[in-house]
Amino acid sequence: MAPLSHIRVLDLSRVLAGPWCAQILGDLGADVIKVENPKSGDDTRRWGPPFLTDEHGEAADAAYYLCANRNKRSIAVNIADAEGQAMLKRLAAESDVVIENYKTGGLKKYGLDYDSLKAVNPDLVYCSVTGFGQTGPWKNQPGYDFLIQAMGGLMSVTGEETPMKVGVPAVDLFTGVYAAGAVMAALIARTKGQGGQRIDMALFDVQTAMLANQAANYFVSGKTPGRQGNAHPNIVPYQDFPTSDGRIAVAVGNDGQFQAFAQALGRPDWASDSRFMRNADRVANREVLIADITLTLNAETTACWTERLHAAGVPCGPILALDQVFSHEQAQARELAFSLPMTGVGDAPMIANPMRLSKTGPQYCKAPPRFAEHTSEVLQERLGLTENEIQSLRERSIVC
């Protein structure tokens, strides 16, 4: 049985960080109800092209939407309507978790803020995801991944001559992962008699935590780190190099690996050179060593060096485009790509959850839902409404 099969989640979030958190919980068995705006649904349904096409050849949901909405049921409820608010409050009253990413205080006017829902469900775990958190002078400012990458220091240490964002929305994704961990921690605390609680997740906080070693370097040295491209601030050689037919990524993590690296490149003299013997020496003499390595690796192909360095026990590999990633033998062996049947569409492509548990790992039961696909099902199952009552709600634009 999935570890969270007893957990009910009401997901009021949209776009990525909140939905990513909810998808992780859904992969682990939670029953996730995704609540969408009846007029438009989740913004990411329209973030294309590319779009999936439905059985009639028409554009359906955008590919972006697929990445974060597996293992959920979709309902559409008008949150601005009093009847809609009452239904959501009833759903929250019998849920274990609520996830929302409205602006700070944005749900209070709808009676769906933490204090309002805590009054009807004291054991509720309520996870708020915002750009800057529930406190501080920036708490009311909207937060988007790119903005937080800029303000949170990530762009200052990424790229070469100019600041560069990461190629995926890393802050949103990490926030979703941290939020899922926090939700599960709160659920465990609840089983120990500590009741429900509110979780305050801020993209800005997550990004500063992600500075990790770069922040530690700054705190210890007092020096603000800059951009080093693909090079590592603390380890040499730990970057990519040109070969005769492309580039190769080399990750030499210790002095023993460097000795093996030098031997494999036909330069055993590097390992006995006082400028390069220890990692601290290699960092101090980075430019000289990198220039020599570049000249040496440029003489053979990426495949040749990969084979030679693997034989020597040196971590390395080619720089792969996405088509090469998913066709790679390791990705195939780990079944990192698969598909799920999506209503009215056919097979929808999915990327595997990386959690590998020997007994209670992720399960893939539901493709991302079509817009409002489960409104009737959920309202009948959870609230006991009849089809006639639900039809009346539809006619009055309270649900869709």
Side-chain angles (χ1 to χ4, degrees):
M1 181 178 291
L4 299 183
S5 60
H6 60 302
I7 297 300
R8 291 177 168 181
V9 177
L10 188 64
D11 180 14
L12 303 179
S13 67
R14 64 272 193 213
V15 185
L16 189 54
W20 192 256
C21 167
Q23 177 171 269
I24 292 171
L25 301 177
D27 283 353
L28 295 175
D31 182 7
V32 180
I33 305 302
K34 180 180 180 67
V35 181
E36 302 190 61
N37 181 335
K39 293 183 179 179
S40 56
D42 191 312
D43 295 347
T44 61
R45 289 184 183 274
R46 301 179 303 283
W47 282 12
F51 292 93
L52 284 180
T53 55
D54 63 20
E55 54 199 1
H56 305 294
E58 301 292 331
D61 292 310
Y64 196 114
Y65 164 77
L66 300 181
C67 79
N69 289 288
R70 175 177 63 227
N71 284 332
K72 303 178 185 181
R73 295 189 286 174
S74 169
I75 67 173
V77 179
N78 184 353
I79 199 172
D81 184 273
E83 285 188 75
Q85 295 161 16
M87 284 190 294
L88 292 177
K89 186 171 288 190
R90 287 176 62 192
L91 287 172
E94 49 95 43
S95 293
D96 300 285
V97 178
V98 167
I99 302 169
E100 62 92 5
N101 62 351
Y102 284 73
K103 290 182 181 180
T104 299
L107 286 177
K108 187 175 181 62
K109 63 182 177 181
Y110 304 122
L112 297 171
D113 56 304
Y114 175 59
D115 289 336
S116 297
L117 296 186
K118 178 184 178 182
V120 298
N121 185 355
D123 287 333
L124 185 66
V125 172
Y126 188 103
C127 180
S128 296
V129 179
T130 58
F132 295 94
Q134 303 295 313
T135 60
W138 280 63
K139 67 180 182 180
N140 293 319
Q141 295 298 319
Y144 290 87
D145 181 275
F146 174 65
L147 171 63
I148 305 299
Q149 286 198 35
M151 289 190 62
L154 185 57
M155 289 175 63
S156 76
V157 295
T158 305
E160 295 180 341
E161 293 184 3
T162 59
M164 188 69 61
K165 73 177 181 67
V166 179
V168 295
V171 186
D172 277 338
L173 296 171
F174 267 93
T175 301
V177 173
Y178 270 111
V183 166
M184 287 185 276
L187 290 171
I188 291 172
R190 194 179 68 172
T191 66
K192 296 181 176 181
Q194 297 180 40
Q197 59 183 299
R198 183 174 194 180
I199 298 167
D200 175 7
M201 294 298 311
L203 272 68
F204 187 69
D205 298 359
V206 170
Q207 174 48 61
T208 58
M210 286 167 55
L211 292 173
N213 61 307
Q214 291 279 28
N217 290 345
Y218 164 68
F219 290 142
V220 171
S221 70
K223 297 178 181 178
T224 301
R227 294 177 293 280
Q228 295 183 331
N230 291 332
H232 196 288
N234 303 99
I235 309 172
V236 174
Y238 198 100
Q239 63 183 78
D240 66 313
F241 295 94
T243 64
S244 64
D245 66 345
R247 301 190 76 83
I248 187 171
V250 174
V252 173
N254 56 55
D255 295 338
Q257 287 180 354
F258 180 72
Q259 293 171 9
F261 176 74
Q263 189 71 36
L265 266 62
R267 291 298 305 269
D269 54 299
W270 288 345
S272 58
D273 189 320
S274 61
R275 296 174 299 172
F276 311 139
M277 290 177 65
R278 298 175 305 165
N279 180 66
D281 302 321
R282 294 192 293 276
V283 171
N285 295 284
R286 179 193 300 265
E287 293 185 7
V288 175
L289 179 58
I290 294 304
D292 284 351
I293 294 173
T294 299
L295 285 174
T296 303
L297 289 176
N298 206 28
E300 298 286 354
T301 66
T302 298
C304 174
W305 287 123
T306 299
E307 181 178 1
R308 194 177 300 181
L309 292 174
H310 279 181
V314 177
C316 71
I319 298 174
L320 303 179
L322 264 65
D323 58 336
Q324 297 169 307
V325 171
F326 290 108
S327 63
H328 192 276
E329 58 185 2
Q330 184 64 18
Q332 300 265 329
R334 299 287 285 181
E335 299 180 327
L336 300 186
F338 64 99
S339 63
L340 287 172
M342 187 171 177
T343 303
V345 170
D347 287 340
M350 296 283 114
I351 303 171
N353 187 314
M355 297 178 184
R356 302 294 173 113
L357 290 81
S358 63
K359 294 183 180 179
T360 56
Q363 298 179 6
Y364 309 116
C365 303
K366 304 181 187 75
R370 303 300 301 278
F371 173 63
E373 180 178 352
H374 302 98
T375 298
S376 291
E377 176 182 299
V378 170
L379 295 184
Q380 289 177 24
E381 172 192 310
R382 293 287 185 85
L383 303 185
L385 300 185
T386 66
E387 188 56 51
N388 286 339
E389 290 172 324
I390 296 170
Q391 183 57 33
S392 173
L393 292 169
R394 286 198 176 99
E395 291 171 355
R396 290 178 287 132
S397 300
I398 297 170
V399 303
C400 183

